[in-house]
Amino acid sequence: MKELVVISGKGGTGKTSIVASLATLLKNKVLADCDVDAADLHLVLKPDIQEKREFWSGKTASLDQEKCIRCGKCREHCRYDAISADFTIDKIACEGCGLCSYICPQGAISLKVNLAGHLFRSQTAHGPMIHAKLGIAEENSGKLVALVKDTARQVAEDKNFPLILIDGPPGIGCPVIAALSGADTVLIVTEPTISGIHDLERVLKLTTHFKTNTLVCINKYDINKDMTNKIALICNKLKIPVIGYLPFDATFTKAQLKGMSLLEYCPEGETAQELKKVANKIKESMDLLSTSPA
């Protein structure tokens, strides 16, 4: 079983749209949306939810008003200003550090585990999909990402599928690190802009640190060919293959409005043909030619 994680150094590069297209091209796989803070792959793939599980993580302080004597020690020491003048706790501001519970002389404050989100096991037209939704202002998205991946691995093992296709989070933080953990190959989607190059360089340092087989795809390459050439030079210096040059194409947006991938909406277009080449190069790199025909 192999894992392909599609990530980007920044949001808005077209990562999820490309994952949705790859979902139609790479066969015998389990899909996993690990962008749990802002999951949107389901908007294109329209999964039929078959199982919903609660995700409990992190703690929030809870104050028993009957035990509280209003001594003010908790308010005095809370560095997050999560306890108001009337001794109620702001669940958004509370970081669950537990100091208030520790210093309360009456034992009026306790920590309770949060219902932080939900995990979904679904079926799509392109195979099984594991995805999740983190609750508003909840944390520990890295843990939820790990749970999504573990569940996807179980499904792939049960079905004897050789590939897990993962829509990863943007950036370089904890959720990205969790998504990259155990991955065989990472496809970085970037764009030819100053911020795109800056964030590409950051995420390349991350994949290099983890020694993960790395591929790059430049989306909207034709909006600034000088920047595109700069990206190619950076990747060439690091010996990282650029496997795709996708043109700016408003068809991506039209397909999204229809709730479809670009390959479903316009399978014979120029961008669709380029995406087919990207899929074939991924299969070559991951040695999936015999198991995942396009």
Side-chain angles (χ1 to χ4, degrees), residues 110-231:
S110 59
L111 295 179
K112 295 184 178 180
V113 180
N114 301 321
L115 175 58
H118 290 87
L119 177 81
F120 305 96
R121 180 170 174 172
S122 302
Q123 185 65 35
T124 76
H126 309 293
M129 175 175 169
I130 310 301
H131 49 121
K133 182 179 181 181
L134 197 67
I136 296 172
E138 294 294 347
E139 56 183 22
N140 291 324
S141 56
K143 290 184 178 180
L144 185 52
V145 168
L147 181 60
V148 169
K149 289 192 64 176
D150 287 343
T151 306
R153 287 166 178 159
Q154 292 172 8
V155 174
E157 185 175 346
D158 291 343
K159 294 183 175 293
N160 197 29
F161 282 173
L163 177 66
I164 301 174
L165 174 58
I166 299 169
D167 185 6
I172 58 171
C174 176
V176 179
I177 293 171
L180 289 176
S181 176
D184 298 277
T185 298
V186 57
L187 173 64
I188 302 173
V189 179
T190 188
E191 61 183 10
T193 63
I194 292 174
S195 60
I197 291 176
H198 172 266
D199 293 326
L200 171 66
E201 291 176 326
R202 292 199 309 161
V203 79
L204 283 173
K205 289 180 181 178
L206 186 65
T207 60
T208 300
H209 173 77
F210 284 105
K211 299 179 180 179
T212 308
N213 179 39
T214 303
L215 309 170
V216 169
C217 176
I218 306 174
N219 193 24
K220 297 172 282 190
Y221 83 92
D222 50 349
I223 65 172
N224 191 327
K225 292 188 177 180
D226 289 338
M227 289 289 186
T228 293
N229 291 335
K230 186 174 181 180
I231 291 173

